[in-house]
Amino acid sequence: MNELIFRGKDLYGHAKYTRLALLGALLVIQVAFGAYRLGAVATCWMVGATIVIVAPLALMVQRSWSRVGADGVTICWGLGRGRTHAWQDIRWVDVRETKNRQYGNSRAARIFLAGGRRRSLPGLQDSSTYPRPDFDVDVQRVLNWWELSTHQDTRIRPARSLRDRVSPTVVGVLAGIVIVVVSFVVIAAQQH
């Protein structure tokens, strides 16, 4: 079987200019707001902080990749050469689907390791925003590698955990509620 490579730049590359335009618009808004309210030094700090945070993240997304081959699954999130997980350490391969009313559905292939950890495969994802037409075919190709490289007895479907039942949206809403409640408590405590 042929080695499979899934790259972030193939999945997200077509939206590079859209993201650059959004970043440019954000920076223009920051400069306008900063010039109006904050002053030159604070505006420079705000714009600089935005660039320092956003640029490395965007670069990491572009450089992320997954490779599936005879030695196992290698995952790289944009830094270094990646980490290889040998086939004997991979207990299960599946797809995590996340549903969101605003952004639509997204799916990501992931592996489950012997120690209980989960790893998503960068570049092997599908969503309404970044569609991957061959996603199901590519996941089946990964499954074929896994089945060819492991024994039936080592394939153990993991039990569903809390993070399988709770979507990232729910976690975000709960975190937002906690932040608001804590903010009100802190403000109330300062007024007394």
Side-chain angles (χ1 to χ4, degrees):
M1 288 176 54
N2 294 332
E3 185 174 83
L4 308 174
I5 297 178
F6 308 105
R7 301 179 305 184
K9 68 180 179 181
D10 295 336
L11 183 61
Y12 303 112
H14 70 280
K16 178 172 32 175
Y17 298 111
T18 303
R19 283 186 298 210
L20 283 174
L22 288 173
L23 177 61
L26 175 65
L27 293 176
V28 166
I29 290 169
Q30 286 181 335
V31 168
F33 173 77
Y36 176 69
R37 288 281 195 174
L38 301 177
V41 174
T43 301
C44 289
W45 276 103
M46 181 172 57
V47 169
T50 300
I51 291 171
V52 165
I53 292 170
V54 171
L57 293 175
L59 185 62
M60 286 175 58
V61 166
Q62 289 293 330
R63 295 193 54 197
S64 65
W65 54 269
S66 302
R67 184 179 64 233
V68 179
D71 54 343
V73 177
T74 303
I75 297 172
C76 179
W77 285 103
L79 300 173
R81 290 186 269 166
R83 180 170 180 183
T84 300
H85 302 282
W87 288 116
Q88 65 262 17
D89 296 334
I90 299 173
R91 297 293 180 250
W92 196 255
V93 177
D94 75 357
V95 173
R96 174 166 186 175
E97 185 169 358
T98 306
K99 297 179 181 183
N100 184 311
R101 280 185 254 156
Q102 184 177 4
Y103 299 110
N105 296 347
S106 64
R107 300 182 297 167
R110 63 185 180 171
I111 58 174
F112 291 79
L113 302 174
R117 294 187 179 262
R118 298 162 170 79
R119 296 287 181 256
S120 292
L121 303 183
L124 188 50
Q125 300 163 351
D126 176 53
S127 67
S128 304
T129 309
Y130 301 105
R132 183 182 188 93
D134 297 334
F135 177 79
D136 293 319
V137 172
D138 289 335
V139 169
Q140 186 58 52
R141 292 168 61 199
V142 172
L143 285 169
N144 291 345
W145 262 107
W146 176 58
E147 290 172 354
L148 180 71
S149 303
T150 60
H151 190 272
Q152 177 72 28
D153 295 339
T154 63
R155 299 181 202 145
I156 303 167
R157 183 182 194 118
R160 287 179 56 107
S161 68
L162 179 63
R163 65 194 256 192
D164 291 325
R165 290 182 225 124
V166 178
S167 72
T169 304
V170 171
V171 172
V173 168
L174 292 175
I177 291 170
V178 168
I179 290 169
V180 168
V181 169
V182 168
S183 298
F184 281 128
V185 169
V186 168
I187 290 170
Q190 288 179 349
Q191 291 182 1
H192 288 303

